[in-house]
Amino acid sequence: MTTLTDPPKESFRLSMLIYDTRYRSMTIQVVAMFGFMLLAAWLINNTITNLNALGKPVEFGFLGEPASYDINQRLLDYTSRDTHLRASLLGLLNTLVVAALGCITATILGVLIGVLRLSNNWIVARIMTVYIEMFRNVPVLLWIVLVMAFLIEGLPAPREFRGDDATASMILNETVAITNRGVYVPEFLFSRPLGDISLLGTSSLRFDVSLELIVLVLVFAAGLYVSGRIGRYADRTQEQTGERPVVWYWRLAVVVIPFAIVSWMLGLHLGYPALKGFNFQGGTHLRNSLIALWLALSLYTAAFIAEIVRAGILAISKGQTEAAGALGLRPNRIMSLVVLPQALRVIIPPLISNYLNLTKNSSLAIAVGYMDITGTLGGITMNQTGRELESILLLMAVYLTISLSISVVMNWYNNKVKLVER
Amino acid sequence: MAEKSFVRMEMLPEQAPPASSVGVIGWVRANLFSSWFNSILTVISIYFIWRVLAGILPWVFLSVWDADSLAGCREVIAANWPGAESAEHACWAVINERWLQLLYGFYPPELYWRPNLAIILLFVALAPVLFADRVPRKLLYVTMVYPFLMPWLLWGGTIWGPLMAAAGFVIGFYVIKILSDEIGALSAMIVGVLATVTWWLGAGPAVADALSGTLPIGIEAVESRKFGGFMLSVLIGVVAIGVSLPIGIVLALGRQSDLLIVKGICVGFIEFIRGVPLITLLFVASTLLNIFLPPGTNFDIILRVMIMVTLFAAAYMAEVIRGGLAALPKGQYEGADSLGLDYWQSQRLIIMPQALKISIPGIVSTFIGIFKDTTLVSIIGLLDPLGLANAIRADAAWNGVYWELFAFIALLFFVFCFSMSRYSMYLERKLQTDHR
């Protein structure tokens, strides 16, 4: 008669670390961790040895030294006696400026081209296809230098605007001058200014906030808030009575009228550029480098956005539109309530990653001499001080921060619009 | 009395559609003039096309091919087309004179056959991978040899270096093959990898030195700084594309795995690389990479750039492949498990073929992106086509030539990138197995 015996008692053998699936993952992880730390230690050790041999240990004191180079396109006051830190700050602002401008124009252009590519007009659709293929298949750096060359070579010099036999003239009712030294646009001026508030004293991060601007923004925001309240009142009335009161002119008035009155009180007017001496004076001077980068990045990214928009629109099945029509919705309501919310779910994530790409591509500013963060911190500051490690670490940290912030926004949006599945 | 009624007993023959809805007229009406708004768009578009072509075609075709400087071009233009501005006619003479430089950089002209052979062999090596069903499988041997042949052809020097590098793989392969019956697949793999690495770091270079001392077989060496032009772009692009795909697959698997530490390392690497612009990584290549390595290490800038571009490409590739992995239904993983396949078998036989198929469009667009991004090396001073364009303009004879150079470079890139994207469409169609 057989008896049921206990299974042989397992003793731990070393080979089980590899062959037993219970332990194998632990083994692999420990080995990976060990290998990674070894690699990191080796790299850091090499770096320290090399830097000591070169006689420049890692320190960030160079940021406080005078930069002694000029930044011609800038948002804050800056002289070449300011520190490297301030130069980097201005560079960062320039990066953000060109990224924001580029994202806006790229979106407008991209949506337009994407929609036109789906047009039932054969010739328009073909033109848009040619545009998209042309821009997507040629490097963005080539577009940037090409636009820059066009601005310098193809546009009239300021002296051609002079005299009775001028060969060039200002556009938009003599307000905008497009020259080969940049574009001059009107600027906003206040004849009864309230003054500035200087923040952070005289440190490298100091900046002035103009009070007029704050007042105008506050008035505008308050107007929007009141307008929103009126809209909610209309919604409530509609829910209670079924009749929607006509309030759109009220909503418009509370935004526009106070804003207009305050602007008039502050003496808001435009300062126009005018030809004085050899160059234009007055107005805001947008340098060629900014225009070239802005234009090239917008045109290039617009081709990608157009494809995203097209894919998003095609992704919504026709049944959705027809079902909404069967419910009795009017075409514009179908678009805003049914098609767009679904299309945006497809469009927005890749759109934001294209914004991210545009921001990263703006580092190519260095090719046309636009002083963004790569041109200041990663360019002249690095070459002047010889602090490659520190400069590049800071540069990467800045870009990582921008990228990760955009990623956070994207994840938040994705979670918000995600289909709730069972 | 029955009333007479008329009932048609046979079908009427179909009538031809009205002339206005078929043929050229019908097509034009449907596609160009279907409404007044469309008609306006059509007219505007035709006017736009006419303006563009009227500007570009005379510039391209009524042009100067023979001149030795921009001033020479302008003289010819003034003689041939009196009254025309010089900007209205292209000066292709610059391309005529410098196209070899734009293609090969400063590579010695008598050795041009080597890059030429390398690119022909590249297509031979790619053929069994790209068009698997149309060419004999035997060609795969060329594919396996190519990674060692290509550097030797381009850089020249002794043949023993690449041979010994290849020998490392052969040694590793046989170690794994022999030992896997003895001590199991995983241990054999580890021992094999260790053997290969030991060979490369220790015995290999010594044997190569000894052999090249006794048996000096080799071709003329070419220094890296002579590399340039489109050849450099293709070289960096091909290496980055080829190496980044396997690294990307490993990173994607790491990111999808349950092993926390492995996953953490992979996520950190991918997010870091994707978060910074390529230009900062190229700065690392040009200034910092030597600092990270043991004192005294100094290897050439092209290799450093290739390493950084490869890492950059690998991070993007990993995300594309992760998308493919995530798109696979869970049943595929469970099905593979239920067949009793282990992790690597199920990856190799079930998961990866499908995941890679799904990610083809993404992989190819990453390839195109990487290839276009190789132009960034001009910023750190390498002479890729854009860098050479600046160098050519620095020559007094060609100072002021912009459009001809840009057009030529743009055309080169366009041809490569456009054909890559067309190939991806072909592959997508070929691999489509669902019936939609």
Side-chain angles (χ1 to χ4, degrees):
Chain A
M1 177 178 164
T2 53
T3 53
L4 208 64
T5 55
D6 284 341
K9 194 153 172 60
E10 267 189 65
S11 60
F12 182 78
R13 295 182 312 280
L14 208 56
S15 61
M16 282 167 67
L17 281 180
I18 293 180
Y19 293 112
D20 193 322
T21 42
R22 284 171 296 178
Y23 305 115
R24 188 194 277 171
S25 70
M26 277 316 279
T27 318
I28 295 177
Q29 299 219 51
V30 169
V31 169
M33 187 71 201
F34 195 67
F36 177 71
M37 284 167 70
L38 220 72
L39 182 71
W42 183 69
L43 289 177
I44 293 173
N45 183 35
N46 285 335
T47 310
I48 292 173
T49 321
N50 281 320
L51 286 180
N52 281 340
L54 288 172
K56 40 181 188 185
V58 180
E59 47 122 10
F60 291 89
F62 71 97
L63 286 175
E65 292 163 12
S68 58
Y69 59 89
D70 201 23
I71 298 177
N72 51 25
Q73 184 88 56
R74 55 178 183 253
L75 285 184
L76 304 179
D77 69 296
Y78 172 88
T79 64
S80 54
R81 287 187 304 283
D82 274 311
T83 60
H84 285 296
L85 182 61
R86 188 161 181 80
S88 308
L89 174 73
L90 268 89
L92 174 60
L93 288 178
N94 278 347
T95 294
L96 296 178
V97 163
V98 78
L101 288 174
C103 287
I104 294 168
T105 39
T107 313
I108 297 171
L109 266 179
V111 171
L112 195 69
I113 293 165
V115 171
L116 283 182
R117 199 182 170 187
L118 289 174
S119 155
N120 50 14
N121 187 316
W122 183 84
I123 200 163
V124 171
R126 285 303 158 289
I127 291 179
M128 293 309 148
T129 311
V130 169
Y131 174 91
I132 290 173
E133 295 297 347
M134 194 172 83
F135 274 90
R136 284 203 314 173
N137 288 317
V138 172
V140 62
L141 184 59
L142 183 62
W143 286 120
I144 293 174
V145 289
L146 194 127
V147 173
M148 185 70 178
F150 172 75
L151 294 180
I152 295 175
E153 298 285 312
L155 294 179
R159 62 181 149 75
E160 290 173 38
F161 288 80
R162 185 196 313 281
D164 298 329
D165 54 346
T167 50
S169 61
M170 294 167 71
I171 59 166
L172 291 183
N173 202 15
E174 296 285 302
T175 55
V176 176
I178 300 178
T179 76
N180 66 353
R181 293 193 198 170
V183 175
Y184 296 82
V185 295
E187 58 182 338
F188 291 104
L189 293 174
F190 299 96
S191 52
R192 287 180 284 276
L194 301 172
D196 293 340
I197 313 176
S198 296
L199 292 177
L200 298 173
T202 56
S203 70
S204 290
L205 301 177
R206 70 182 181 277
F207 60 100
D208 295 342
V209 184
S210 100
L211 273 176
E212 307 89 61
L213 206 61
I214 294 183
V215 168
L216 281 181
V217 168
L218 282 181
V219 167
F220 190 69
L224 280 185
Y225 175 73
V226 174
S227 163
R229 291 297 295 261
I230 296 176
R232 276 199 292 278
Y233 155 77
D235 288 345
R236 262 202 319 278
T237 317
Q238 187 180 17
E239 277 166 22
Q240 282 164 2
T241 65
E243 292 280 322
R244 189 175 178 84
V246 183
V247 291
W248 65 265
Y249 47 85
W250 280 110
R251 299 187 63 173
L252 196 64
V254 293
V255 177
V256 173
I257 293 175
F259 189 78
I261 292 174
V262 174
S263 314
W264 177 76
M265 281 164 62
L266 290 170
L268 181 73
H269 64 279
L270 290 174
Y272 297 108
L275 194 58
K276 289 206 181 92
F278 291 109
N279 217 335
F280 279 91
Q281 303 287 326
T284 303
H285 182 190
L286 306 173
R287 309 246 167 198
N288 274 337
S289 50
L290 170 63
I291 303 275
L293 194 64
W294 174 16
L295 214 59
L297 287 178
S298 309
L299 292 174
Y300 180 79
T301 314
F304 290 83
I305 292 179
E307 285 294 87
I308 293 168
V309 169
R310 188 175 74 108
I313 294 175
L314 287 180
I316 307 306
S317 70
K318 202 154 185 243
Q320 297 284 330
T321 319
E322 289 167 353
L327 286 177
L329 292 178
R330 275 171 282 134
N332 59 343
R333 304 289 273 179
I334 294 177
M335 188 45 93
S336 66
L337 293 177
V338 177
V339 176
L340 265 191
Q342 298 185 66
L344 283 183
R345 186 180 288 133
V346 183
I347 290 174
I348 297 246
L351 184 68
I352 294 181
S353 90
N354 261 298
Y355 288 165
L356 197 55
N357 283 343
L358 190 149
T359 310
K360 285 188 285 177
N361 280 338
S362 75
S363 60
L364 298 179
I366 198 166
V368 287
Y370 177 67
M371 289 301 227
D372 74 331
I373 182 89
T374 312
T376 53
L377 182 62
I380 304 182
T381 293
M382 182 170 88
N383 292 333
Q384 268 188 12
T385 58
R387 296 272 166 195
E388 293 95 3
L389 184 66
E390 295 89 337
S391 298
I392 292 179
L393 278 182
L394 277 179
L395 190 59
M396 286 179 159
V398 167
Y399 278 114
L400 263 184
T401 317
I402 298 175
S403 306
L404 292 182
S405 329
I406 295 179
S407 298
V408 168
V409 172
M410 183 163 86
N411 288 338
W412 170 80
Y413 177 84
N414 268 343
N415 284 331
K416 197 169 149 252
V417 300
K418 197 164 61 181
L419 284 177
V420 182
E421 290 181 52
R422 274 164 295 166
Chain B
M1 193 177 110
E3 263 186 70
K4 214 171 200 177
S5 62
F6 293 96
V7 176
R8 194 183 293 285
M9 302 301 289
E10 76 280 358
M11 292 287 283
L12 273 181
E14 266 182 29
Q15 285 193 342
S20 61
S21 65
V22 286
V24 179
I25 300 173
W27 185 88
V28 167
R29 274 175 70 110
N31 290 300
L32 298 179
F33 299 102
S34 58
S35 65
W36 62 267
F37 180 67
N38 252 339
S39 308
I40 295 175
L41 275 184
T42 304
V43 172
I44 295 175
S45 306
I46 291 175
Y47 177 70
F48 172 77
I49 294 176
W50 182 75
R51 281 298 299 268
V52 170
L53 291 185
I56 289 182
L57 289 183
W59 182 78
V60 172
F61 291 105
L62 302 178
S63 52
V64 183
W65 282 91
D66 283 314
D68 54 359
S69 70
L70 189 58
C73 263
R74 288 185 176 146
E75 280 167 22
V76 177
I77 290 171
N80 285 2
W81 300 281
E85 285 199 36
S86 60
E88 286 171 17
H89 302 279
C91 176
W92 296 115
V94 63
I95 306 296
N96 196 11
E97 187 182 302
R98 299 295 185 105
W99 66 280
L100 281 173
Q101 198 182 31
L102 281 168
L103 288 185
Y104 300 100
F106 296 100
Y107 208 82
E110 68 277 13
L111 300 179
Y112 279 166
W113 63 272
R114 276 157 48 174
N116 290 343
L117 183 62
I119 198 137
I120 291 170
L121 284 179
L122 172 69
F123 286 116
V124 175
L126 280 181
V129 184
L130 296 185
F131 303 98
D133 47 352
R134 299 208 191 150
V135 290
R137 308 275 301 167
K138 286 268 168 56
L139 274 180
L140 269 177
Y141 289 110
V142 181
T143 314
M144 281 158 69
V145 172
Y146 190 74
F148 306 99
L149 189 62
M150 191 264 295
W152 182 64
L153 269 179
L154 290 182
W155 274 277
T158 167
I159 197 173
W160 297 111
L163 268 187
M164 290 304 120
F169 280 107
V170 175
I171 290 172
F173 177 74
Y174 278 106
V175 166
I176 292 173
K177 199 172 178 186
I178 294 166
L179 287 188
S180 54
D181 295 338
E182 313 264 329
I183 58 172
L186 196 65
S187 327
M189 181 91 90
I190 295 170
V191 175
V193 170
L194 283 180
T196 308
V197 173
T198 338
W199 171 259
W200 281 342
L201 294 181
V207 175
D209 279 344
L211 279 173
S212 51
T214 50
L215 257 180
I217 302 176
I219 49 180
E220 191 183 331
V222 179
E223 292 170 62
S224 286
R225 62 186 172 80
K226 296 198 170 161
F227 283 46
F230 205 60
M231 181 189 112
L232 182 65
S233 298
V234 175
L235 176 65
I236 296 176
V238 165
V239 170
I241 288 168
V243 184
S244 69
L245 190 58
I247 301 181
I249 292 176
V250 172
L251 281 173
L253 288 178
R255 189 165 185 171
Q256 290 288 79
S257 88
D258 305 325
L259 312 174
L260 262 187
I261 295 174
V262 175
K263 186 177 174 176
I265 295 173
C266 289
V267 171
F269 177 83
I270 293 172
E271 291 302 326
F272 170 71
I273 298 274
R274 278 162 45 91
V276 299
L278 178 58
I279 188 73
T280 57
L281 293 175
L282 292 179
F283 282 156
V284 170
S286 72
T287 60
L288 287 184
L289 210 54
N290 280 340
I291 294 183
F292 294 150
L293 295 175
T297 321
N298 193 3
F299 52 98
D300 75 57
I301 179 77
I302 292 183
L303 195 55
R304 282 181 277 162
V305 164
M306 284 199 285
I307 292 174
M308 295 318 282
V309 176
T310 305
L311 292 182
F312 181 77
Y316 281 82
M317 202 64 78
E319 280 301 272
V320 170
I321 294 168
R322 184 176 74 110
L325 288 174
L328 275 195
K330 208 162 182 256
Q332 297 292 329
Y333 292 87
E334 289 165 352
D337 283 347
S338 70
L339 286 177
L341 301 178
D342 70 15
Y343 180 78
W344 291 110
Q345 281 172 330
S346 63
Q347 290 297 343
R348 189 160 53 85
L349 299 171
I350 312 277
I351 307 298
M352 268 305 151
Q354 301 184 65
L356 288 180
K357 191 177 93 181
I358 300 175
S359 21
I360 284 174
I363 291 177
V364 176
S365 67
T366 311
F367 282 177
I368 295 176
I370 291 303
F371 186 60
K372 285 188 297 179
D373 280 347
T374 56
T375 48
L376 266 63
V377 300
S378 64
I379 292 180
I380 58 167
L382 293 188
L383 290 176
D384 82 316
L386 275 183
L388 275 172
N390 291 331
I392 291 174
R393 263 198 304 280
D395 183 344
W398 298 114
N399 194 356
V401 171
Y402 289 96
W403 318 115
E404 293 82 0
L405 289 172
F406 287 149
F408 182 69
I409 298 167
L411 186 71
L412 284 178
F413 274 99
F414 183 86
V415 167
F416 263 68
C417 298
F418 191 69
S419 36
M420 267 200 262
S421 74
R422 291 296 121 158
Y423 173 74
S424 120
M425 286 174 162
Y426 153 81
L427 203 55
E428 256 177 89
R429 269 199 312 280
K430 198 181 80 177
L431 294 180
Q432 199 164 42
T433 46
D434 52 348
H435 303 283
R436 279 205 276 182

